[in-house]
Every structure is written in structure tokens, then in C-alpha cells.
Amino acid sequence: MDPRIEPADSIDTSWGSSRRECLGRLAGGFLGTALTALLSGDGFFDSPARAEDPTLEPKASHHPAKAKSIIILFMYGGPSQVDLFDPKPELQKRSGQAMPASVLDKGLQARNPGTLLGSKYAFRKHGKSGVEISELFPHLAKRADDLAVIRSLRADSFAHGSGLLQMNTGFVRQGFPSLGSWVAYGLGSENRNLPGYVVMLDQRGGPISGPPNWGNGFMPATYQGTPLRSSGDPILHLTPPADVSVEQQRNQIELLRSLSRDDRDGALGARIASYELAFRMQSSAPEAVDLSRETPATRSLYGLDDPRTEPFGRRLLIARRLVERGVRIVQVYSGGGHNDENWDAHGDVNRNHELHCGETDRPIAGLLADLESRGLLDETLIVWTGEFGRTPTGQNGKGRDHSPRGFSGWLAGGGVKGGQAFGRTDDFGYAAVEDVVHIHDLHATILHLLGIDHRLLTYFHSGRDYRLTDVSGRVVRELIA
Amino acid sequence: MPARYLASLAFLVAALDPTAARAAAPALSRIEPPGAAAGSSIDAKFIGTFKTTPFRVAVEGAGVTIEPRGAKGEARITVAPDALPGSRWVRVYDEDGASEPRPFIVGSLPERTENEPNDEVAKADPIDRLPALVNGKLEKSGDVDVFAVRVEPGRTLVASIDAYSHLGSPLDAVLQIVSPEGFVLAQNDDHGGFDPLVVLEPKTSGTFLVRIFGFPSTADSSIRFAGGESMLYRLTVTDGPCLDQAIPARITPDFAPVELLGWNLTTESRRIVPRTDPTDEGFAIVAHPSAARVIRVPRDAARVVDESAASQPLPVPSSLTGRIATPGEVDRFTMRLIKNDRVRVRVSAHRFGSPVDPTLVIRDPDGKVVADVDDSDRNDRDLETVVTAGRDGDFRLEIADLHRRSGPRSLYLVDLERIDPDFSVKLGAHQVVAEAGKPAKLALEIDRRDGFEGDLEIRAVGLPESITAPTVKSAGKGPNSKKVELVFESKLPSSTTVRVEARDAKGRTRRASTKIGTIDRPLYDAFLTFKPTPPAPKTDPKPKDESKPKSTATTPAPADLGASRIGVASTHWSFRPLGRPTPPVAKGRAPGHPIDAFLDAERDPAAGPVAADADRRTLIRRLFFDIIGLPPSTDEITAFLVDTAPDAYERLVDRLLARPEYGERWARHWLDVVRYAETNGYERDGAKPGAWKYRDRVIDVLNRDMPFDQFVVEQIAGDELEDARPETRISTTFLRLGTWDDEPADPLVDRYDQLDDVVGTTATAFLGITLRCARCHDHKFEPFSQAEYYRMLAVFEPLVRPQTDRIEHQWFVCSPDEWNTYRSEVVRAAGNSGAFGSGASASLPLIPPPPDSAYIWREDGGTPAPTRIFRRGDPTQPLETVEPGVPAALGLSIPERRSMPSRSSGRRLRLARWIADAANPLTPRVIVNRLWQWHFGTGLVATSNDLGVMGDAPTHPELLDWLAREYLERGRGWKAIHRLIVTSSAYRRLGSTADDGALAAFPIRKLEAEAVRDAMLAVTGELRFRRPGPSVYPEMPRAVLEGQSRPGEGWGRSTPADAALRSIYIFSKRSITLPELDTFDTTSSCERRPRSVTAPGALTFLNGEFITARAKAFADRLRREIPGGSPSERVARAFELALGRPPTPHETTESVRFLERQARLIAAESRRDDAGEAALASFCLVLFNLNDFVMMR
């Protein structure tokens, strides 16, 4: 809540030193008093929430939450389960043969008639629990006892667009609020100086379909995800234009307040208060993404000392800083753009996954270790998934096609029963056959860990109450500690 | 397979037994009426199959005498005056056995029977005296029963239903209290079970309607309104004392008086001594002769503790009744346990009608959570758990309500019991039949709980001497530990009831019982029949019974539901024909504007006076923004201020309505309704080529004030009209504006998703009904069947989406003749040049330009594919075929097909004409309600897309109907309605943000994103006016484009002049939006814009490229217009231009001081010599951010 003044040379932004100092003073001085007056007592935040004046005021959960925040690691493109978390001896043994007809369904036959392709990578049991993890994740493997690996995820779509939408919103169709919007709507935000729901995209670009993946759907814009960049201006329009100093802007806000002195009630007062908040965000958001005060050890933990892991590691380190500052939902994408810029390994799964695993393995393990050492792992839920998995059969020889019938993901941290592999796919890793966890079930479980009963979190729209989990969803108790 | 084998063997044996068919026991399906008041005598009818006349009856429970009288099941039932209220079990029996028992209920109120038909408000069955108990029946599928009751003010009306849990009706009833106008005032469907209870505290006296309908208790995919011979219910209605819950919720056997919760309770009905029910072990009855409803309270020997005594650790075992009195309250209790103690904790509430949905957390003495329980299972909101103490100490229980609800009725019951190995016994059958002289075997199931392994002695009690049954033993382990048989013998034929008891070594006795259907009272009496030995068969017996119907239960016919739900439909306000209300005339006052007359008549005089009239400056600004979406220029303001003619305002209204900007403003409202956007969404978010032609058409239609019903028809079927023209065909773009996945996971599902979008949007946009729910099942709340959904879908089934793989095409909007001409000319030209593609360039001039096209569907003619109903909406599970049609609830028929000029099926034209028919009451109501919403921010019906049963009721129903009539009678253009609304006094008052719904002041609200952007461009003088054509692309910040998967893709670059066009002409892309529009809740589809206030939005308005450039342009304009002016002159001019008024002295002082301070600061920071100019731009930016600029005041 109390943004500190950082050394002037700390980050690479257009912020000059004088401006930075100014901002720091502002935060403690003018804004300190103005905001205290505005926000305390019967001010803006205590006004009753109406559908028309959506707020991010913190709200009570349905039941005691196991996790206060959630970091969603989204492996866009679709990581291959049989190369990462789901070892299949039978697949290795019968590599090169046709997939048995008993396993196939029409969808796969139509799309990709390739033959079985064994994984190049060795799996070993790790940790006390002996969870099996591929050699592609040597660092993550050391955190095996933290992970509740789900080997039986199921999605409904073969295509990236609708697949991303479903993992993010529960629906394959467009127009529905994302998981983060539901959480923001259900729980509000703990930090008034930062957006409650933050999305960090890959340096190579966003996922396809773009903003609807973190959109508010039919809810008010208050609940949409705010894209946060890990370099430059973290939030759109956060910094004033180059020739406008913070001191100038302070004068502007003071004039705005002075000319609006009669606007105290409801919507009018709330609008003026939103400028004060925006102003505060100008100091707290750069502070949140400023990694200069992180120790070399921490930076190294996230792989910031290696150009390969630096971009993703930086995002994860920022994610930790955001969570520390009370941001409720942080979604971090690995992979953007097209083809091998993300996990969409149609051409050569080994080359593709060596690249993306190499970029993310150390940072993710670092995030888990760092959260643990700061006592945050117990109250932060980490979710790792893609929009679907990949086929056990080959495509173009060495590649793998999309496969939503059975794929892997994992949960760790707040409230999660780590050190287990849950669910099972068939002998080849194509379809989930035991303890199937549909995306609705995953969402129900995530909401449960955050203290929300997915059946009760509803939003009235177009004549009926909608839910993240539609008319489905089951809390997977086995994944909960 | 052994189970199946045995079952088929049993069937074989039954089939071979020559006596089996002849010796059928009687069957009793129900008693009508199923209950009577204590102290009354009634004629009842037993319905079932009985051979003997008169039939014989056995009753379990005292105080009810039944005298069978006739051959057809007639009987006289007499209930003793002191009979205990509650249930009795009744069976019919003869020498071949007994029927399954059916309940008969003794009540405490006078009773009567429902009078059918009472399906509609006009035919409501009047209940003349309260309290009343009505025995009724939802007698056929789709039945709705309506009763009329009169209530005086100050009384609370309570109505409740007994059907599922007391009568065993397979019914999940819904109970509503409805005003005579058809508004649902109260509704309930579950109250501690499937049976509902509603409460209403009417503000005024009057007649209210109590309405009952229901669903099958076992939900099926049809979800139709249930009905049938077995759908009995007992309706209790009272405005007098009515019992709800008892405190404590569990009593000890000493029968101390209990405190009662309820409604209209008197001192004497507030404390009652429960009465024992000798035939219902473990329960007591709480009833009062003058109070409605009876409470059944569990009773046992555990200690009952008062909540106030709960500061001490609770003893185990004990029971405590608590209350969640305040929102979010967590009640904490402790229990002292010794290590290894095992305690069962049960928290119940729902099962006795409390609204509490309990949650329980148990912490050990260290504070660690050892249990965290919500529901026991998905059908039980109450909970139960077992804790084992890991150590000695005080364990804490924390009880709360899952939904944080609270109140005086929020009681719960906590039961603590030590885990004590125990047992219970269940009757394997409700009767046993055997031949005299042969053994009759009664199977018993023994439930051994919590490790009970003791021996049990099981014996029959209450047997006549002629019947013997040796006691049997069940050992703790072994084959008879869970199942035993009691064997009865009798030498003579006889019939009797018998009870069975089990006793363990400690002397604990448990009575055997069983459950019948869903009825929540156990049955204790088993029925024994020893039949006479049958004579040996002489000849082959004739199988007489084959001619008889197999079952007496009526299977509901697979009726077509929409029509059968007209009982609800005809009473719902919006489906009724338009009224012809006349504006009320207030005594002693001259008749004013009709709209004000309606509003004033409804206004609560106690709420204080209405706001004063707005001043002229406020009014002209409001009117400009409202009608044309732009601020007035200073000249326009001056002209209005000096126009002293009495009709100055009216003439201003007319001038504005005549301006082309009117269409640009109001088209945007309509585009929201029809989900207009120019891309498809999803992965590629591909463009909808030529969709802008629809936007331009809407603008044109509104500017020409075309009758809107004509445009309704065009949008649905502009290609099928007799006088179809290119522009009417363009209007059908409406049908193709939805999102579209160009790479669908399942093409078949996608096809029906597309049609669903068309059906759903057509229904909400024009009719204000939510039809999409009926895609998978009959609409649960509205009178629309699944079949009706598919009939409407069949209307659109012939549509084909012009596309080649992922590439979308426009389709021709010329006439078929023109198209044919064009095609033959192309063919001829191709023929002349040899072929397309080779040396064609020389012949290209010969090919005429292609006719105009638009983004529309096409119909290919021929016989359309049949439309089928899909089971649960799944296109791979087709059911029966349906013909195109419209919902029957509106009671209108679809017009006849006329001759078609095109190859089209004509289906859409018939639907469109039906929607636009003058007799369709929804269409005009929906349209005028939308217009009202766009003028005042909230519609007369707040849910403007939903005027159905689940939508909001209108605040001023007569005004709505009056406006709808005016709309129809004034030529169905929008402009006449605009004129009516904006000339009312309600519209011309000073504004307030406190919207009271009664329009005592004009509701201040944020302008739409487009209007704010346009206003900035207008104030700076940059706004450019329209040329028709494709949409434009103002500059999108790089940071926004970076979030795309292919940054910049699908976003063009327009000239600065084009970028200064009004916002409605900006390319509307589903996946990215200009930030200055996005943060102001622009949207591609909604019934009513949300109005978010967010900090990122404020950032965009402080730091964004767009506002920065506008502020600079505004400063340039000020300098241009007042060269060398003083700061105060510039401030004054800026206020006039931006806010339409001069600044106040305070504003001038503050602004001038700002300009000076800012200029000094800028000069000091950057040593610029144009610091004054920069300061002016900085000031302009603040003006754009003022509430006065962005709010419609």
C-alpha cells in the first residue's frame, strides 16, 4: 500500500528521476490526504454495490478460502502430455504402429491418421511422492512434491480459438466472462492501487482471439483483465505523454477536483474518485513491476541471468510481486503468435518443446521455491495448463496434432494436495479414461480453493443466471489438501 | 448375471402359477379428497381396483373412521374432533391381500375441493373465507390452477402446498401470488423440500391470485408442466395465524411447550404443547385449532440445550436450536472431548423449512480444522459429520449460513451424539400373502451402524392368537446379520396388520418400518394375508385381466406444450392484448402532458415534490446529446436562449429530429440490440465484408422515419418481400451479424449454433422473449415448448451461409432477373473470349460490373430440409419433425403464405409479418420500452430484452400500453414517440443521480462511449461529416495491437479526416476496441450498456493519445478564435464551447490560477517558450474529464 521510492536508474522506462521522486512525494503527500479523505468512511468504496455501479470492493467468500490469489500459467498452443507428465510404456513399445482402432474416435481419424510416436524423453520418479516427470523439466521435477498433476483433463474443442476460450471462460463460444472476471466479480480486489486481475502476455505476441480470453463477456468492464507488460509502460496509458510531468498532472487532478467540488454523490463522486485511483496506480504499478530491488539470488532463481529464461522469468517474478501486493488473479502466458512461437508443435515436437520447456522450467520452479520461502505458497494457487494436449500419434513425422480428449495440467500451492498424479489416460495417452477432469471440473475446483462455490457464483444476463461452469462442474476433492 | 437370471426365473414362476392372475390383491391409487378436517365428515372416493363390494379398509393411526359405501369406491370418512392432525396410512384389502398404503391427512382448517376449470385469471376459483384448505389436482399435463383471495391491509398472506412429501404426488410444484394485472408478486418452488410456501405482505387491500403449476418431481428432458390423475395437492391459504417452525426444533419426551415462529401469530398460538403421535415413533405434532399448518417435531431422549446456555461446553449427547440472526453470523459452540471420543455432529435446517443452508467447521483445541462440511450430498443441504478426538480438550463448532443470509426464521438444529453402535430394522415389504396352512415369509433388513455386532431378537407383536410367528435371531456376524425372515403361519384364512420389533442384549428396542414412495412418514404396520386354499382348476382359466388396462395411472399424452401452458401465458401481462388506457385526470388540475398524468398518478405523494424545471442551457444540452449525440454549438445555444416563443422547445425538438445526425445517434442504440459488429470473433476474428451497409441502412431508415414495423419485416425477410429491393435485402444482414467460428470443433453443432443465434436474437430483439432456453428443453419458466423453439428454427432452416471454407462471401442484392441477366452476360463474354483466364484481358470490358452485394444469407429454393427437434439440443440426436411456426402462447396464428417473387421458401416473411402484426402485443411494447430506456436510462420494464415471466414487471404498465398504442396509431415511426417523451415535464426537469424510478428528477447518467468521443471532436471543431461507405480505422495505440496474435492484423489505417468521423463509422471489431471506447463500455451486443467506473478508464482519459490530441486541438481552436485573449477570456470561451455555459466565478478563478501555475511549471521544467499554449491544452484536457462534459445532466 505504501509505494517506495526506487532508485532513479532502476528500470528502463521513460520516467525521469525528477518525475519519479515527484511521484513518490505525491503518493505520500497530496494523494495520501486526498485519498484518505475520499476513500474512508462513507466515501466511494463503502457505497452499496449496484449492478450499474460495479465495484471491486472486497467481498466475502462463500466458504473459507484455501488460496487468496491465483497465478495461472497458460502454455498457449497445447503442450504434449506424453512428453511431459504422462509416461506411456505401451506407446514407447508400439511406436511406429497404427493407433488401435479401439482407442480412436472419429475426431482423431478425420484430423490425423499418423502412427504412434513414442516420446524421446525419459520419465523418472521424483520427490518423496515419486510423481513421474519428464526430463524436459529438470528443475520443476525437484518440486514434484508440490504438484498435483492431473493426467485426465478433458476439453471440448480441437481448435485453438475455441479451446482457449473454453479454458479461459468455460465456453467454446465467444461472449462469456473469463475465469479471472468471475473471480474479480465474486471476490473483488484487495489492492486498490493495482488492477485486481492482471494478464501478462508472451513477448512474441498475444494468444489468438486476443482480449476475449481475459474479457468480461456480459459483465461490466470493471471485471476485465488488465494486460500488464513486463517492460516499458506496464499498463496501457499508465504514463503521461512524454512532455507532461507528474507535477503537471498533479495540478490537473487538483483542478479537476476543485471544479467538481459539488459532485459528491453516487456516480458523479465515483468518477472523480476513479481519477485519484488512476493517479495512485501510476506510482504503484511501476513499483510493482520494478525488479531492481530484487536480490541477485532471487533474479537468478527465476532465470533472469539467462537470456533464454529471462522473459518468462521476469513475468513470473512480477507475478509474485503482484500477488504480494494483493492482486487476486495473475495470468501469465508462455507462447504467443503462431506456430513454433508457442507450444503448437505440429512440425517437430522435440524441437518445439525443448524450446518452450527450456524457457519456462527454471522460472516456474523458481516461482514455487520463492513463494514457499516467503510463506506465500500456502495462500497462492498455481495452475499450469494449455488449452488442450497433443496426440500420441505423429504428424508430419515428428510433430503432434491437437488433442483435447485427455491431457495433463497441474495445480500447486494454496490448498492443493501436492505430490500426486491424478486420473489416467488410456495406454497411449490419447483419451482420459479414469477420473476425468473436464474443464468445468477444473474451474469448479479452482473456485472452490478460492472460497467460491461455483454453483452459487451467478450473474443474471439475458433472462437467466449464468455460471462459469454452465450447468456442470464438480469439485475434485482428491486434489484438495 | 445371477440377479437377472433369478428375476427372469421369478417371472417364469409367476407366469406358470394358474392362480396368479385371478388372485391379484386390490390396488389403491389415491383417495379424493386426500384429507379432511378434524371433527368433519366427508364423502370421499377411493380410486383403484377392488373386487369386493363394499371394499374393506385398514387405517394405521387413530381418529379416522372409513365407511365404504358403493361399488365405485364411494366412502364416508369421519374424523374425530380430537383426532391428531397429520397423516394416516390407509389400505384397501380383501382375501387376496392388501393394496399399498396411501396417505390420508387430518387437517386443522375447514376444507373444500378445487373447482375446475380455473386455468386463467378470468376463471379463478374464488376462496371466500380465510383460512382455507383446498384439495386440488393438476389434472392434466399443462394444468394451471388459479384461486382468488381477498386480503385486507395489515395482514400477511401465506399460502403453502402439501403434495410431494405428504401425499406422495410426483410433483415439484411452483406456487405464485399474482396481482390481477398478471404480475408475479411472490413465487416459491421449494420450501424445505419440493413443496412450496409463499408469503406476501400486501400494501393495499385487494384481490390476489394464488397460482399453482408444477414440474414432474423426477426431472426429465421435456420439463413440461406436469399434470395427471395422481398430481394431488393440498393448498393452505391464510391471512390469520400460521405456524412455521418450533423452538426448540427437537423436543424431549416431557412435552414442555414450544415457542413458535410463524405469521400473524397470537399470544395463544405462540406457545403450544406438542402432542404425541403414538403411531409415529420419534415425532410429536404441533398444531393449533385456529392456526394454519402443522409442524412435525422430532422427539427423543437426548438433552435439549438452550442457545443462551451455550457459553458452556455442550454435553454429548445433546441437541441445540440456534439462529443465524445477523448477516454473516458465525455461531460458535464448544464440546469437551476425551482423546478417541467419536461424536456425530448433525446440523439440520432445510428439512424443517428453515432458510438456513448450514456450513460447519470443527476445530480441535489447537485451532486446527478437523472438519469442514457443507452439504451431505447433492440432494441434501443439511449436513452430518463424525469427529474423532485426537486429544483431550474443547473442540469448537462454527456454524454459519453458506449464503450469509440471516433473520428471525433462520433456525438450525445441532445434534451431538456419541458414536454408539446401534441398529435399525426395515420391513422388506409392506405386506405378505400366503395360502392358509402355508408359511408366510416377511423379509427384514437389519442396518447395523457404527460397528454394532450384538445379537438381536426379532419378533412380531399384535398378532391374533390364530397366527404364530416364532422369534428369530440375528447374530452379529454371519449370514443372518443383515437379513432375516419372520415366518408366519395360520391354519385359517385371515387378514391382519402386524408390527415387528427387534431387541438387543441391552434391552434396546427398535420398531421395523419402511418408506412408501416419497412420503416422509414411515409405515410401521406390515399386512398379513392368509388366503383360502384355491380349488383345483377345472378348465383353462380365461385370462380375463388382459382386457383391463394395465395401470390406472394416466400417462400424460405427449401434448404440444406451448398451447397447454396458455394458462400461464394468458395471465402474463405482456402476452395480453394491449390495453386502451386513458391518461388519468387529477382532480382540480388542468390536464397536462399524458405521460406526466400517468407518472404523477403513480407517484407516492409522501416522497416529496418533483424537481424544478431544468434551465434552458441544461435542457438544450440534454436534448442535443439525447437526440443527435452531439453537444449544441454556441450559436445554437444562443438562438434557443433568445427564442421566447411558447413553442421554442417544440420547434427545437423538430429541428433536431430532422437532422441527419439523429439517425447516426439512434442507429447506434439499435445496433447494440442486434449484436452488430463487423467481425466474426474467435481465432481469426475475420471481417464480415460489407456489414457496414446494414449500419448505413439503419441510419437511413431512422432518418426517414420509416414505419419501424416495416423495417422489422425487412430485417427478417427483406429478400422475400413482393417489392424486394437491394436496400430491403441489405436489411437482412441482421440475420448474419452473430459471432461465427470459421473453424468449428463440430460443423453440425456449429450450424445449429448459427441458427440458434438467429432464433434467439429475433426473439429478444423484436419480441422481448428468451426463447433460447427452449433449445434443449421446454422453457422452465416461460410458456415456450422445445417444439416451439424448433418450429421457429425451421423458419430459418433454409438459410445458407455463403462461404468457401473459411472465406466468407457477400451475396447479391439485385433481383433474380438482374442476376440472371448478369450471369448470362458473363457467360457470353467468357464465350466470346474463349475462356476465363486465357487472353481474357481483351474481353474484360465486355463483362458488365457485378451487381451490388451485401453480407446476407441466401436461400437456394427447393424443398427445405425437414427440421427436427433435437434431444437436449444435440443435433446428433434428432427426434420428431416439426413444421415452421410461432409460439402459441401469444394466441395468434401465422399469416398464410402468399406467392413469392423469389425462390425463397417464404417462411421468414410469414414470421416477420406475424411479429409486425398489429395484434401482436409484444412488438410495440418492446419497441416503445426500448425508446423510453434510451431517453431515460431505464425502461418502464428494466429488462428491455425480456418482457417474459422472468423479466421485470413494468413500473407503469398503463403508460407502457398507452405509448404502444400511440406508436401504432401515429404511424409506427420512432420520431413521434421521441416527440411525446421529450416534451413531457418529466423529461424537462433538473437532473439527479438518485434515480427513484418515478422520474421525480431527470436521471443523470454517463454518456455512451461514442457520444463522449464525438463530443470531443465536435468541441475541437475537428468532427467530419459522413460520406457513405466502408468503416474507418482511427489510430489504435501500438500497445493494444501488441496483444493480438498477429499484431496489427485486421486493423486498417485511415486518413486523419476519416478518423475524425463519428464513432458509429469506426470499424467494429470484436477482439479489439479503441481504448477511449472500450473503457467506456462500448459493446457489440447488449440490451443496456453497463456504466463502469474504472481506474484504467481514467488513465486512458488522462494520458491516452486520443484525448491528448483533442486537448491540443481544442487549445489551438481557442487560440485561433481569441488571438491574444486574456486567460479569463479563453477560460470563458472554453467553458462555452465544451460545456455550453459560462464558467462560475469560482471556476474562472480556479482555471485562471491553473493556467498561470501550469505555464510557470512547464516553463521551469522544459524551458519551452510555448509554455502558455501547453498549459492551455493541459486545461482543455481537464475540461474533457469533468462530469459536466461526460454526463448527460
Side-chain angles (χ1 to χ4, degrees), chain B residues 243 247 256-261 265-274 286-288:
Chain B
L243 308 185
I247 307 173
V258 290
E259 289 284 337
L260 286 160
L261 293 180
L265 289 188
T266 57
T267 324
E268 59 143 3
S269 55
R270 211 175 275 287
R271 273 177 78 78
I272 297 179
V273 178
V286 181
H288 188 274

Side-chain angles (χ1 to χ4, degrees), chain B residues 585-591:
Chain B
V585 183
K587 263 189 208 152
R589 278 171 49 190

Side-chain angles (χ1 to χ4, degrees), chain B residues 918-931:
Chain B
N920 189 327
L922 280 172
T923 314
R925 280 185 177 126
V926 167
I927 290 171
V928 296
N929 186 57
R930 290 192 194 282
L931 296 177

